[in-house]
Amino acid sequence: MGEGGEAMSMTTYDLQVNGRRKSVTVDPSTPLLWVLREDLKMTGTKYGCGIGACGACTVHLGGVATRSCVVPIALVGGRSITTIEGMGRDPVGRVVQDAWVEKDVVQCGYCQSGQIMSVVALLKSNRKPTDTNIEESLGGNLCRCGTYVRIREAVKRAAEKLA
Amino acid sequence: MNRRTFFRVSAAAAGGMLLSMYFDSPMLAQEPAAIVYPPDAFVHIRPDGRVVITINRCELGQGVSTALAMLLADEMDADWSQVVAELAPAASIYKDPVYGFQNTGGSATIANSFQQYRELGAKTRAMLIASAADRWHVSPSDCRAAKSVVHGPGGQSARYAELADDAARRPVPGKVALKKPSEFQIIGKPTRRLDSRAKCDGSQKFGLDLDLPGMLIAVVARPPVFGGRVKAFDDQGARGLPGVREVFEIPRVRGAGVAVVADRFWTAKLARDRLKIDWDLSGIEHADSAELSKRYKELARTPGNVAVNSGDPTVLDGFAPENRILAEYEFPYLAHTPMEPLNATARFDGDRAEVWVPSQFPTFDQAAVAEVLGLKPAQVSFHIEYAGGGFGRRQSFDSHVPREAAAIAKRMRGIPVKVVWTREDDVQGGYYRPMFVHRVEVGIGDAGMPIAWRHVVVGQSYVMGTPFESYLVKNGVDFDAVTGTADMPYSVPNLQVTAHHPTVNVPAAQWRSIGSTHNAFVMETLIDELATRANVDPIAYRLKLIKPDARRLRATLALLEEMSSWRNHLPRGHAVGIACNEYQGTAVASAAEVSIENKRLRMHRVTIALHCGLAVNPLSIESQFQGGTIFGLTQIVAKGAITLKNGRVEQRNFDGFTPPYIVDAPTAIDVHIVPSTEAPTGTGEPPVPVIAPAVVNALFRLTGTRYRTLPLVAAL
Amino acid sequence: MLQFSLVILLAADAAGLAAWEKIHSVLTSPRCINCHTATNYPQQGDDRHRHFANVIRGKQDKGVIALSCATCHQAKNADSTGLPGAHNWQLAPLSMKWQDLNDRPLPSAEICRSVKSHLDGPHLVKHHEEEALVLWAWNPGRRPDGTMRTLPPLTHAEFVEATRQWVKAGRPCP
């Protein structure tokens, strides 16, 4: 990161986003979130807080649910990036989205990309999450509209369909 | 700027107060409020059969884009599977029919647009039938319509899409018959939201997602103390970053700020971090929570301006100490923090402008932008975007966010600029639910009923000094600050409620359910205390004490009683607390089941009974009550407070001001609606006021402590 | 002769205990002790408050799925966003807790015994000298508000030297 007044060196990064190769030239300190939103015009991943406290920016990085607002593009490396835009083509992602619609989970919807990405990560690792598993894994995803009750139901519904 | 407000109240048209407000302000376009709503501005039938319904509100998550569409589509006999909702821009015909300006708030959408949207649907249907009847040379009365098809008496049929062009040319009927509730096909049925899929696949665009060719991003450096001005600034470091376009001072509603405009958000933010600003913080109050608390408590010891003085409250002084309660309550500033940070986008072209805002307050926001740019409101094309939550934060009376965008767009002539507030800007940016102190003395008579009640409320008025002042302020009392108290639903023969409204240099605003957030807490915890003293069940006590005409409250309490399964079984270590409240005509009664685990509050099941008249979309109402309950828990959670020290807000982000996460929320929230075909009232805010008192009433049963200062401490 | 040996022994012991106190001052500084908790959560900040966003330990001390340490923390500090990072960022296992369940540091003697039980002398020196998570404490990065995190009370070199001295003195505990 540049200090003082000197210009920052733009760097080209080759990224794997939802199975496609993308190339961006940005300042290395730019969080992955803003590369996705502004350079790749993929606005499904949301800015909620910028410090990793709310989960709205959750993507999968190398298969791990990751908060893209705190990860500078320089630290991404060769890890594959999956975003909410890719969930429709993912077998677990699709089931989760359908469960979300079936249970009418969303209200404003702004946090839901992050919620869904977190839930998909959970279900890929644990097909039968308990109430405690759900509460712990989603423990850091903020929803100001308060959709948590239906989120719990929808996670269980998705798990049911994946069983 | 001289603003005069005119206020006219006319008698009930349909069992309620009809309020018309005319605002005489140089800012607003001088147009009469529209009375005729042309269907073609509200519904458009596409050749492929899609029915596009224009919504005269901002969709904040509260579900109005689906509910209003349901009203229109049902009366129109449209095929619901073909219905799409779009948000209207700012325009005269989209004004709230009761308020007289375009607005999303006050939990008024369904109440105020119920008749309007139904009529629009019925008129559209009539015109389609007229078109078909003409084509078939039959009488319209011999035709019927269902699922976007008109059927003739001889087996003829025509799709709406085929008839649309011709129908649109026909005269709009003046009067139409509306369906009887028994004829509803869509209204009243649990209906999934129209915007669900898009919000699950990342395609839904919010204000912050807007992307326009050539668009630049602006962030604003704002002073650390509200109202601060700029003495000088050094932007050398900022300008040194590639992609920074401009750095300049802008006026704000109070004081000033420094705008940084860049080609992308991250650059703008980094550049702002490098600004060296010499703020002039002289001559402005440096508000301090500790000092305010002390001052408010002193003020609360003396009566303020009188809201109500009935009977003879001085009889209180004759009550023995054991028959008196003295209770002092304290509430902190609260931030809304909707998940989508504040933003507004504007482009100024000299003789016109175009603006995109996730706005709850379009008429005024449009006028404010016009004022900043030296235009008439009609020259400002104002688009309303989907909002990632509102809760009142996007309804600022001073339109400060669109004003910033306009000021920046003015300088960046011809270029669209999106102003983005970071989460830190939001948490520290003011426009909070103000701090309040209540001091209450109650004299208890035989059978444990309150005989005398003396109540002082101290806190800022969010409405004084705004065009809405004369609507709510009488006798020096902001009646929102005493709502539910001065007009309490309980029979107390000797009642005095007074209020002090200090002026404090902290911008105040409407936080979902506004004055009820603190008043209902005080009322419902004191009622609980009275019930405990009288050794009467809290529901039974309320049923006994509420006024005879509190019909809806009575019904909700009765329904809650019916659903009170906790009476039969309550796990060890769990307790239930009750609270009820009526907000804008909607009555709510709530039972919160809690326990304490590892010294932390643990929520279990919340049971809610409500009366909102006709339930247009029960599925949506359930989500509003589940969501509003959880929103209301912001008042309870340990870090649910904004505090100031020497003028500076102490919290920065969600790590300092922490709303409820899933672990703070109830595991189940059961919502029961009193069946009714009365005209509907709102459900956006009514869920909020009851949860905090219900929780605290439950905690009393577990700890023996009455918590009167919010938020609760982390370790109970 | 015996008295002379005793004096040398006592001197050595005192030097060893002094070395331990130096080590202890580092171990109980926020950059280290914040991840050596007895609870199911880490701490953060110089005031050692509970980590935000309901982050918890999880079965393998790395958090839980979708809210693991790696959900935010990368292999290096992210100064531009204020996120500290190092290779294998995680909580120390409960066997290496240096606090009690009320988030108070354990007595020095108890921490000393715990340290002794995990690594022998040479391995401890190597651990203090080379382990990424240990080194991180002296390069803790920038906070989200732009300020730098505070360092332990000794330099890394002093810490390693104190470790050597302590090991040489036979790892005495108070």
Side-chain angles (χ1 to χ4, degrees):
Chain A
M1 183 176 101
E3 300 297 332
E6 85 264 21
M8 309 214 293
S9 49
M10 305 284 271
T11 306
T12 300
Y13 297 94
D14 288 316
L15 307 172
Q16 274 272 60
V17 185
N18 294 331
R20 294 199 174 90
R21 290 196 55 213
K22 304 273 183 189
S23 189
V24 296
T25 302
V26 291
D27 176 270
S29 76
T30 312
L32 173 60
L33 171 67
W34 294 104
V35 172
L36 290 168
R37 289 180 59 82
E38 292 186 309
D39 297 274
L40 299 179
K41 307 293 182 190
M42 295 168 67
T43 58
T45 308
K46 304 301 187 195
Y47 166 67
C49 73
I51 61 167
C54 78
C57 67
T58 304
V59 300
H60 297 168
L61 187 57
V64 175
T66 302
R67 298 186 170 200
S68 61
C69 72
V70 293
V71 179
I73 193 73
L75 295 185
V76 168
R79 290 180 283 175
S80 66
I81 301 160
T82 313
T83 71
I84 186 68
E85 289 90 346
M87 285 297 99
R89 289 187 298 280
D90 181 286
V92 176
R94 205 164 37 242
V95 169
V96 173
Q97 287 174 329
D98 288 350
W100 245 241
V101 172
E102 183 188 321
K103 292 292 182 181
D104 213 47
V105 171
V106 314
Q107 290 185 33
C108 87
Y110 195 83
C111 77
Q112 300 294 346
S113 298
Q115 303 277 4
I116 288 169
M117 295 304 287
S118 299
V119 168
V120 171
L122 172 63
L123 289 173
K124 282 183 186 249
S125 159
N126 179 357
R127 283 296 158 99
K128 288 192 174 143
T130 61
D131 287 336
T132 303
N133 292 146
I134 295 169
E135 195 173 277
E136 287 183 347
S137 285
L138 297 184
N141 284 69
L142 249 185
C143 171
R144 265 332 247 135
C145 299
T147 64
Y148 304 125
V149 173
R150 287 195 185 170
I151 285 178
R152 288 176 191 268
E153 290 173 17
V155 175
K156 290 190 208 156
R157 179 72 182 121
E160 225 174 79
K161 287 168 79 174
L162 287 166
Chain B
M1 183 192 341
N2 217 358
R3 294 178 190 165
R4 289 167 294 145
T5 61
F6 297 95
F7 169 83
R8 199 166 77 198
V9 177
S10 50
M17 288 259 285
L18 194 74
L19 286 143
S20 302
M21 290 177 288
Y22 291 86
F23 292 86
D24 183 17
S25 158
M27 262 176 28
L28 297 181
Q30 298 295 324
E31 313 167 63
I35 300 161
V36 176
Y37 301 100
D40 63 0
F42 288 84
V43 57
H44 174 57
I45 303 164
R46 292 212 190 117
D48 66 357
R50 284 222 170 267
V51 178
V52 182
I53 297 176
T54 302
I55 306 299
N56 63 359
R57 309 287 166 169
C58 185
E59 174 59 64
L60 314 168
Q62 81 285 49
V64 290
S65 57
T66 299
L68 288 176
M70 287 168 68
L71 295 172
L72 198 157
D74 201 331
E75 295 289 352
M76 186 184 153
D77 277 310
D79 178 355
W80 180 249
S81 74
Q82 296 301 305
V83 170
V84 167
E86 277 181 3
L87 304 189
S92 193
I93 40 162
Y94 299 122
K95 290 179 176 176
D96 181 302
V98 174
Y99 288 158
F101 56 89
Q102 204 162 343
N103 187 59
T104 309
S107 302
T109 294
I110 299 300
N112 294 357
S113 282
F114 181 64
Q115 190 80 359
Q116 177 195 31
Y117 268 68
R118 289 180 66 192
E119 283 178 4
L120 284 162
K123 287 178 182 179
T124 305
R125 177 181 181 274
M127 291 156 78
L128 288 159
I129 287 180
S131 174
D134 214 25
R135 182 192 283 199
W136 300 327
H137 306 294
V138 299
S139 165
S141 56
D142 289 332
C143 299
R144 58 177 189 87
K147 292 199 163 51
S148 291
V149 178
V150 181
H151 298 276
Q156 313 94 316
S157 73
R159 289 176 298 111
Y160 280 9
E162 293 171 47
L163 301 163
D165 280 346
D166 181 70
R169 284 192 274 272
R170 289 174 180 269
V172 179
K175 269 194 164 318
V176 279
L178 299 178
K179 288 184 178 179
K180 294 194 272 295
S182 58
E183 296 171 309
F184 290 153
Q185 301 283 305
I186 304 170
I187 299 171
K189 313 265 184 289
T191 304
R192 294 193 175 93
R193 323 172 50 107
L194 294 171
D195 53 4
S196 204
R197 181 64 65 176
K199 289 176 174 179
C200 290
D201 66 14
S203 64
Q204 176 64 58
K205 299 287 184 194
F206 298 84
L208 199 73
D209 301 324
L210 191 71
D211 187 34
L212 300 164
M215 187 180 77
L216 298 177
I217 308 291
V219 295
V220 178
R222 298 178 188 84
V225 178
F226 298 114
R229 295 163 300 280
V230 179
K231 236 186 272 182
F233 67 90
D234 172 1
D235 62 5
Q236 209 193 356
R239 285 185 182 272
L241 290 176
V244 172
R245 301 290 198 94
E246 277 290 359
V247 182
F248 51 93
E249 182 179 332
I250 56 163
R252 301 188 63 229
V253 170
R254 293 186 217 185
V258 180
V260 178
V261 182
D263 58 4
R264 61 178 311 148
F265 169 77
W266 190 247
T267 306
K269 183 200 119 49
L270 287 181
R272 183 178 72 173
D273 290 343
R274 290 172 178 211
L275 283 176
K276 295 186 174 68
I277 306 177
D278 193 7
W279 296 106
D280 178 4
L281 305 177
S282 67
I284 52 177
E285 180 193 358
H286 285 43
D288 184 284
S289 291
E291 186 275 324
L292 287 170
S293 169
K294 192 158 161 284
R295 192 194 332 165
Y296 280 23
K297 284 175 177 160
E298 273 162 28
L299 271 173
R301 288 173 186 279
T302 61
N305 296 319
V306 175
V308 64
N309 198 32
S310 65
D312 179 15
T314 64
V315 303
L316 243 175
D317 305 319
F319 277 77
E322 63 268 24
N323 294 324
R324 286 170 74 153
I325 294 176
L326 171 63
E328 203 173 57
Y329 289 78
E330 192 173 346
F331 303 88
Y333 284 103
L334 291 174
H336 310 63
T337 63
M339 284 311 296
E340 181 201 8
L342 298 166
N343 61 89
T345 304
R347 191 192 71 245
F348 175 54
D349 299 314
D351 60 348
R352 57 181 304 274
E354 202 170 354
V355 184
W356 298 257
V357 188
S359 169
Q360 292 180 244
F361 210 46
T363 304
F364 285 80
D365 284 352
Q366 181 187 35
V369 167
E371 185 187 55
V372 170
L373 297 174
L375 298 172
K376 295 196 187 54
Q379 293 169 296
V380 176
S381 178
F382 192 106
H383 307 276
I384 297 164
E385 303 301 306
Y386 275 72
F391 316 119
R393 186 60 184 92
R394 304 194 208 259
Q395 196 189 29
S396 294
F397 289 164
D398 62 14
S399 302
H400 64 282
V401 176
R403 279 180 189 276
E404 283 180 356
I408 293 168
K410 190 169 185 177
R411 174 74 174 257
M412 307 299 296
R413 173 84 172 252
I415 302 174
V417 184
K418 182 198 293 178
V419 177
V420 175
W421 284 46
T422 64
R423 182 59 62 190
E424 288 84 5
D425 296 341
D426 176 46
V427 170
Q428 304 196 312
Y431 298 89
Y432 308 123
R433 196 288 308 265
M435 210 176 132
F436 274 91
V437 162
H438 289 233
R439 190 167 191 277
V440 192
E441 299 166 275
V442 184
I444 309 163
D446 301 331
M449 295 287 140
I451 301 302
W453 189 295
R454 198 156 52 198
H455 195 136
V456 183
V457 178
V458 183
Q460 288 169 262
S461 165
Y462 76 95
V463 86
M464 281 177 178
T466 77
F468 294 82
E469 176 168 341
S470 61
Y471 174 38
L472 272 173
V473 177
K474 275 160 213 55
N475 227 27
V477 175
D478 173 350
F479 272 80
D480 175 74
V482 297
T483 186
T485 296
D487 55 347
M488 61 172 72
Y490 301 107
S491 300
V492 177
N494 305 288
L495 174 66
Q496 184 189 82
V497 178
T498 66
H500 301 270
H501 297 302
T503 306
V504 180
N505 182 28
V506 176
Q510 317 84 292
W511 195 94
R512 193 174 178 182
S513 82
I514 331 177
S516 299
T517 56
H518 50 102
N519 279 281
F521 185 84
V522 175
M523 287 306 306
E524 290 302 295
T525 52
L526 279 173
I527 294 296
D528 192 70
E529 190 165 342
L530 289 166
T532 306
R533 277 181 174 237
N535 205 17
V536 175
D537 172 82
I539 294 180
Y541 187 89
R542 284 172 173 80
L543 282 167
K544 204 165 153 198
L545 188 60
I546 57 172
K547 292 179 176 158
D549 63 359
R551 186 177 53 88
R552 285 192 176 189
L553 265 182
R554 196 174 293 282
T556 57
L557 287 164
L559 181 55
L560 187 66
E561 177 62 51
E562 232 183 278
M563 299 299 167
S564 59
S565 55
W566 63 84
R567 294 198 192 284
N568 299 325
H569 173 69
L570 198 60
R572 207 193 181 105
H574 290 211
V576 169
I578 307 293
C580 71
N581 185 251
E582 189 163 322
Y583 186 92
Q584 293 284 83
T586 295
V588 184
S590 177
E593 180 190 331
V594 316
S595 67
I596 298 173
E597 261 167 47
N598 298 324
K599 294 196 191 163
R600 287 175 89 170
L601 170 71
R602 180 80 208 183
M603 301 280 313
H604 300 279
R605 181 176 305 269
V606 173
T607 310
I608 297 170
L610 71 118
H611 193 324
C612 61
L614 179 84
V616 171
N617 186 353
L619 191 63
S620 174
I621 290 169
E622 183 192 65
S623 75
Q624 284 301 283
F625 274 81
Q626 291 177 338
T629 294
I630 292 168
F631 191 87
L633 289 173
T634 311
Q635 296 210 69
I636 291 285
V637 289
K639 287 180 164 187
I642 293 289
T643 57
L644 291 106
K645 195 164 180 163
N646 190 26
R648 288 153 176 81
V649 174
E650 294 188 283
Q651 292 73 28
R652 276 179 57 85
N653 201 312
F654 288 136
D655 55 345
F657 178 81
T658 309
Y661 285 93
I662 192 170
V663 70
D664 303 300
T667 47
I669 303 177
D670 301 335
V671 179
H672 306 281
I673 306 173
V674 173
S676 166
T677 53
E678 292 168 21
T681 52
T683 59
E685 294 165 288
V688 176
V690 286
I691 187 63
V695 166
V696 156
N697 290 342
L699 284 173
F700 168 73
R701 280 152 182 77
L702 293 175
T703 66
T705 304
R706 296 264 174 209
Y707 299 98
R708 296 193 179 129
T709 296
L710 291 183
L712 296 182
V713 290
L716 292 169
Chain C
M1 203 48 194
L2 204 63
Q3 250 178 337
F4 184 63
S5 312
L6 194 62
V7 167
I8 295 195
L9 210 64
L10 286 169
D13 217 35
L17 287 174
W20 167 251
E21 279 321 305
K22 285 186 172 170
I23 296 167
H24 177 256
S25 77
V26 171
L27 301 189
T28 54
S29 68
R31 299 291 82 73
C32 305
I33 202 171
N34 280 355
C35 289
H36 283 262
T37 64
T39 57
N40 78 333
Y41 52 82
Q43 291 148 1
Q44 53 181 165
D46 286 349
D47 63 356
R48 299 183 35 233
H49 59 270
R50 180 174 172 157
H51 194 304
F52 67 63
N54 295 308
V55 157
I56 53 172
R57 177 180 287 275
K59 289 201 176 68
Q60 281 141 7
D61 309 314
K62 295 181 204 288
V64 294
I65 297 291
L67 198 59
S68 61
C69 307
T71 295
C72 289
H73 296 276
Q74 305 298 305
K76 282 159 65 172
N77 289 332
D79 274 354
S80 62
T81 60
L83 250 294
H87 192 55
N88 273 342
W89 190 271
Q90 63 168 87
L91 274 170
L94 285 168
S95 60
M96 290 172 68
K97 65 179 191 284
W98 296 336
Q99 308 180 42
D100 62 20
L101 285 168
N102 291 313
D103 297 343
R104 283 191 292 266
L106 293 172
S108 176
E110 223 175 298
I111 298 177
C112 186
R113 283 194 296 276
S114 172
V115 168
K116 279 175 75 167
S117 73
H118 286 106
L119 289 172
D120 64 28
H123 284 109
L124 185 68
V125 173
K126 190 170 154 71
H127 181 72
H128 284 184
E129 198 163 24
E130 298 174 6
E131 167 63 42
L133 281 175
V134 173
L135 287 168
W136 172 82
W138 283 270
N139 178 25
R142 204 176 285 267
R143 301 188 187 101
D145 68 6
T147 57
M148 298 300 295
R149 289 191 181 85
T150 61
L151 302 178
L154 302 176
T155 66
H156 181 243
E158 287 168 347
F159 178 62
V160 172
E161 181 53 30
T163 309
R164 283 190 213 284
Q165 294 297 328
W166 185 58
V167 169
K168 192 164 123 187
R171 303 187 300 161
C173 282

